[in-house]
Amino acid sequence: MPFSSHPSPDPAPDDTRVALSVLATIDPVLRDSAVFGLVVGAPRVVALRHDIRAAEGALRRVVVDASGVVEDEVVPLEHACLSCAVREDAVPTLRRLADDGRWDHVVLALPVAAESLPVVRALAAQTTPGAELERLRLATVLAVADVDTLEHDLLDDDLVAERGVGLTDDDQRAVGEVLAAQLEHADLVVTTGDPVAAATGAGLVDRLRGVGTRRVDGLHALAAADLAGRPHDPVAGERRAHPLGARGPLPRHARPAGDRSWTVELCSARPFDPERLLRRIEDLGTGRVRSRGVFHVANRPDSLCAWDGAGGQLCIGTLGTWDDATTAEGRPVEPHTRVVVVGATPPDGETGDGVRERVLDAFRDVLATPDELADGGLRWLGRTDVLAPWLGARTDAV
């Protein structure tokens, strides 16, 4: 995936386009509180809030500003999914709000448990010159999270459906999966709760959010003018959210007292042995951890494979070939394995180090050895491809 190393410039002083910020969270109370704080006392700010009603095949659209509720409508949709909602309702509504003239900043508050990346990707295409939203410019993408509950939300195995915030009737995503994706893509993470008493929750936020992004504590610190004044760089956001962009360990001095969070970075130029990976995959990727990165497998050397785990769930798949991958500076990426694992030692200290040791032991075990690789992969010829159900049919020669 090509990346640019050049961030978007700050908006020009004479840029008259309407700013567009995007807000994501897993908590409806936090979303509504953040929206309220942004529009109160700011007459030039308007918020567009969407809620997907999957059972009805409908979308509820609420538009609010400092004067109160401007619109509150239920709109039928052909497909009750987020990408369709953006195309069928959000885009024309945003255009209408931008053309209205009463507001110079629109905050798009996504449905609870929606991931910001696919929405922002669609908006980035629509805000280019000549497109439908050319009168808007992407400003800040923000995530709002509660550090008091974040350790549980990220690492335990609750499902969004169990919280009543699923986007479809059969939404089986883990809460941790959604939360991690929101934090990793955001330009700004706004936290609620006590970051001192909940140092582990705050530490987990810092371990997931991208390099160069910001964290502010408390909704009182959230200012609409600050959001509008900071442009979103879609390329940098894509890079943060990409498995190749998983953040590595924090500096040791960055860990405050009481923070039990940790990061383990698993790196090797060697591929995984497919049979041993399947045997140890639960040890390596499930449990109370967030894990993300890329890997390659000895019997399919051309395949760039993605690793994505949270909330007790793990997803692996292919992202194309290594020939298509480049660094942020545009250099080719050599095949390698790099999985970043984030977790937290329990308060009683019982199993935290055990989790890390289990992950490290499994990683060492599943790597193909130099002796196994000495024949160029011939030993895997003719064997059943045990990872085909997850990675698809093998297309490489070995």
Side-chain angles (χ1 to χ4, degrees):
M1 182 176 183
F3 293 130
S4 168
S5 59
H6 304 291
S8 296
D10 291 339
D14 59 349
D15 191 341
T16 59
R17 291 178 298 167
V18 175
L20 172 59
S21 295
V22 179
L23 185 157
T25 184
I26 61 169
D27 188 312
V29 175
L30 292 186
R31 183 188 61 171
D32 293 348
S33 298
V35 167
F36 178 80
L38 287 168
V39 301
V40 168
R44 301 289 295 175
V45 178
V46 63
L48 167 60
R49 193 193 80 195
H50 279 125
D51 289 294
I52 291 179
R53 296 181 171 181
E56 305 171 27
L59 180 82
R60 183 185 180 193
R61 178 209 310 138
V62 179
V63 177
V64 295
D65 69 0
S67 67
V69 177
V70 179
E71 298 178 16
D72 188 347
E73 296 186 30
V74 176
V75 182
L77 293 174
E78 293 183 6
H79 306 283
C81 70
L82 189 59
S83 60
C84 294
V86 170
R87 182 180 68 249
E88 296 176 5
D89 189 81
V91 169
T93 301
L94 289 170
R95 179 176 181 175
R96 179 163 48 81
L97 296 177
D99 290 342
D100 185 280
R102 283 181 285 175
W103 305 290
D104 53 26
H105 186 186
V106 182
V107 177
L108 175 59
L110 299 180
V112 176
E115 297 178 17
S116 55
L117 176 61
V119 175
V120 172
R121 183 180 290 151
L123 294 175
Q126 293 289 344
T127 52
T128 56
E132 190 167 356
L133 300 180
E134 64 177 352
R135 292 200 58 187
L136 292 117
R137 59 175 177 84
L138 276 174
T140 302
V141 176
L142 66 150
V144 183
D146 184 352
V147 293
D148 289 341
T149 63
L150 195 133
E151 181 179 353
H152 173 81
D153 292 337
L154 178 68
L155 301 180
D156 287 341
D157 58 1
D158 296 10
L159 302 178
V160 292
E162 296 170 343
R163 299 271 184 101
V165 293
L167 297 180
T168 63
D169 289 333
D170 58 350
D171 194 341
Q172 293 300 305
R173 293 174 302 158
V175 172
E177 172 190 350
V178 178
L179 176 59
Q182 292 176 349
L183 298 176
E184 288 157 353
H185 180 242
D187 303 310
L188 169 70
V189 178
V190 181
T191 68
T192 63
D194 187 340
V196 176
T200 300
L204 289 168
V205 168
D206 288 340
R207 292 180 186 279
L208 293 187
R209 66 183 179 87
V211 175
T213 64
R214 299 179 297 141
R215 182 190 111 202
V216 298
D217 297 324
L219 289 177
H220 64 277
L222 182 58
D226 181 52
L227 300 184
R230 296 176 182 262
H232 173 72
D233 181 352
V235 175
E238 293 271 357
R239 184 167 64 247
R240 290 193 297 268
H242 195 279
L244 282 169
R247 184 171 191 166
L250 296 176
R252 291 184 180 275
H253 63 77
R255 183 175 179 176
D259 181 5
R260 296 175 282 100
S261 67
W262 49 261
T263 302
V264 171
E265 188 174 29
L266 308 173
C267 296
S268 178
R270 287 182 280 149
F272 286 149
D273 171 270
E275 288 87 2
R276 292 201 298 275
L277 173 59
L278 186 60
R279 188 173 67 244
R280 298 294 305 271
I281 199 164
E282 290 191 5
D283 291 334
L284 190 56
T286 62
R288 297 186 79 249
V289 295
R290 163 58 170 163
S291 56
R292 187 164 71 108
V294 296
F295 66 99
H296 61 140
V297 188
N299 66 339
R300 49 174 77 216
D302 294 336
S303 296
L304 169 58
C305 302
W307 183 283
D308 194 313
Q313 300 182 7
L314 176 65
C315 178
I316 62 173
T318 57
L319 294 170
T321 69
W322 289 98
D323 289 339
D324 298 327
T326 58
T327 67
E329 294 75 26
R331 295 192 299 269
V333 176
E334 294 296 323
H336 67 281
T337 294
R338 177 178 181 265
V339 177
V340 178
V341 184
V342 173
T345 304
D348 57 14
E350 283 184 3
T351 61
D353 290 336
V355 172
R356 280 179 284 188
E357 286 305 315
R358 182 200 72 199
V359 168
L360 287 167
D361 177 70
F363 181 69
R364 288 188 289 261
D365 182 35
V366 300
L367 287 173
T369 67
D371 286 344
E372 290 171 333
L373 297 170
D375 64 5
L378 294 177
R379 68 173 54 237
W380 286 281
L381 283 177
R383 294 189 187 181
T384 300
D385 186 0
V386 296
L387 297 179
W390 297 273
L391 302 182
R394 203 175 77 192
T395 58
D396 47 75
V398 176

